[in-house]
Amino acid sequence: MTLTELKYIVAVAREKHFGKAAEACFVSQPTLSVAIRKLEDELEVKLFERSANEVSVTPLGEEIVRQAQSVLEQAAAIKEIAKRGKDPLAGALKLGVIYTIGPYLLPDLVRQAISRTPQMPLMLQENFTVKLLEMLRTGEIDCAIMAEPFPDTGLALAPLYDEPFMAAVPSTHPLAARKSITAEEMKSETMLLLGNGHCFRDHVLEVCPEFARFSSNAEGIRKSFEGSSLETIKHMVAAGMGVTLVPRLSVPKDALAPRTRRRKSDDEAHVVYLPFEGDVPYRRVVLAWRRSFTRYEAIASLRNSIYACELPGVKRLS
């Protein structure tokens, strides 16, 4: 039994496909298949059920794959211990970020990380929360920046900041003349939401009960358009198709300047952003990592780089 064989079975369990697993491991499919067959013969158990269209893990195989993942993490930990003896921050850090945070936090974060820890480059992965949780579990990424809530998976968590939501309305809309808005006023509008799979859609519906209550009611929110990204939704707002909610960091700086000082060439000239009155809806953004991850200094350094970012309008948490 070798670490390479364990790596192969973890890859097959993750990909559910021998060809894709071989590609992920940078070997040929025959090489991977022979190695897995050899391991099955050695253990005298069947790890995978093979069919023409799908590969599934046997019940006993699932237990062995979990143990194999643990062994691989421990082997990687030995290497990390050796690295820390030379430089605790040496080596890349694999960081996942959800789609509705990445475009607005990463530009500043990458600059801060390069300035503070050039020996620790960030390997970035944008994805949905569910996928990032799976990648954390399998060790494909080291840590992830996500928004609560998400399932309790036994991860270590560090709160980063609370980010308020703002309403985005067309500049021609009657609400655009207001200085602020209430959730009650939003519920009668055509609400534009991200598609299923985006946690921000769920966050909006969770923190704004009016949206959840009236989302399928013809007397409330009349229709829900599903855009592929927040920026796409903003373009739809600019075109007058409806209103939406956006996280504070996604709001362009100039969009919050007095209207007389805004540049006429701004792409956001047709969208007005309004703060909420009363109980302001918000999301809590956290950094998550496996408790078995041993590069504590790398996590601390990443948090410091995040806190060094400008983060306008959010409440920083320690």
Side-chain angles (χ1 to χ4, degrees):
M1 183 186 305
T2 66
L3 291 178
T4 298
E5 291 169 350
L6 298 183
K7 177 182 175 182
Y8 290 169
I9 65 171
V10 169
V12 172
R14 180 181 66 243
E15 302 292 343
K16 301 295 191 296
H17 190 278
F18 276 80
K20 293 179 180 178
E23 184 178 343
C25 295
F26 303 101
V27 297
S28 67
Q29 184 172 336
T31 298
L32 179 137
S33 297
V34 168
I36 291 178
R37 181 71 70 182
K38 176 177 175 291
L39 181 59
E40 288 180 321
D41 290 343
E42 178 182 347
L43 298 176
E44 297 182 347
V45 297
K46 193 172 185 179
L47 300 175
F48 302 103
E49 295 286 351
R50 301 159 175 85
S51 66
N53 299 320
E54 188 180 31
V55 175
S56 60
V57 188
T58 64
L60 184 57
E62 290 182 356
E63 186 175 348
I64 292 174
V65 167
R66 283 196 297 270
Q67 186 63 36
Q69 178 63 48
S70 177
V71 170
L72 291 172
E73 288 186 9
Q74 293 302 315
I78 293 174
K79 294 181 180 180
E80 295 301 335
I81 291 171
K83 284 183 180 179
R84 289 206 304 269
K86 303 175 183 177
D87 183 350
L89 301 177
L93 184 70
K94 295 176 287 186
L95 171 65
V97 188
I98 60 174
Y99 289 118
T100 57
I101 291 178
Y104 315 111
L105 176 64
L106 289 180
D108 198 2
L109 175 57
V110 169
R111 284 192 294 269
Q112 294 292 342
I114 291 174
S115 173
R116 292 165 173 268
T117 52
Q119 74 276 34
M120 188 184 77
L122 298 178
M123 295 180 61
L124 303 172
Q125 168 73 240
E126 272 190 304
N127 221 310
F128 296 112
T129 299
V130 171
K131 179 60 177 176
L132 293 180
L133 290 172
E134 174 66 15
M135 295 177 75
L136 277 171
R137 186 184 69 80
T138 60
E140 292 179 80
I141 57 176
D142 301 320
C143 52
I145 299 174
M146 301 178 290
E148 292 184 322
F150 48 82
D152 182 5
T153 57
L155 296 170
L157 299 178
L160 297 175
Y161 54 83
D162 286 341
E163 182 177 19
F165 298 164
M166 297 187 72
V169 304
S171 59
T172 55
H173 195 287
L175 289 172
R178 299 279 301 276
K179 291 185 178 180
S180 60
I181 195 171
T182 66
E184 184 70 19
E185 291 170 312
M186 291 285 285
K187 74 180 183 183
S188 62
E189 301 295 327
T190 300
M191 176 60 57
L192 309 181
L193 296 174
L194 289 171
N196 291 322
H198 286 277
C199 62
F200 186 72
R201 174 193 179 98
D202 300 327
H203 295 156
V204 170
L205 294 177
E206 285 176 6
V207 301
C208 298
E210 290 83 0
F211 297 164
R213 179 182 175 189
F214 291 94
S215 61
S216 60
N217 189 329
E219 295 179 359
I221 297 175
R222 295 189 299 274
K223 193 173 182 180
S224 175
F225 293 87
E226 296 192 353
S228 59
S229 71
L230 280 178
E231 296 308 307
T232 299
I233 292 288
K234 289 181 185 179
H235 292 311
M236 295 166 70
V237 171
M241 296 184 68
V243 303
T244 195
L245 264 65
V246 296
R248 175 61 179 82
L249 292 184
S250 74
V251 178
K253 292 181 182 179
D254 290 337
L256 297 180
R259 297 187 185 186
T260 56
R261 291 166 51 191
R262 294 182 192 175
R263 298 193 304 271
K264 294 183 179 180
S265 60
D266 283 343
D267 292 337
E268 296 287 338
H270 299 294
V271 180
V272 173
Y273 298 91
L274 302 172
F276 277 87
E277 299 174 9
D279 293 331
V280 178
Y282 71 94
R283 66 178 178 180
R284 174 156 294 182
V285 176
V286 301
L287 179 64
W289 65 96
R290 293 185 307 283
R291 295 186 184 276
S292 59
F293 186 60
T294 58
R295 295 180 64 187
Y296 309 114
E297 297 88 351
I299 295 295
S301 176
L302 177 62
R303 290 183 68 188
N304 290 336
S305 293
I306 294 171
Y307 287 134
C309 295
E310 189 174 350
L311 302 179
V314 309
K315 178 183 178 182
R316 299 166 188 263
L317 303 171
S318 57

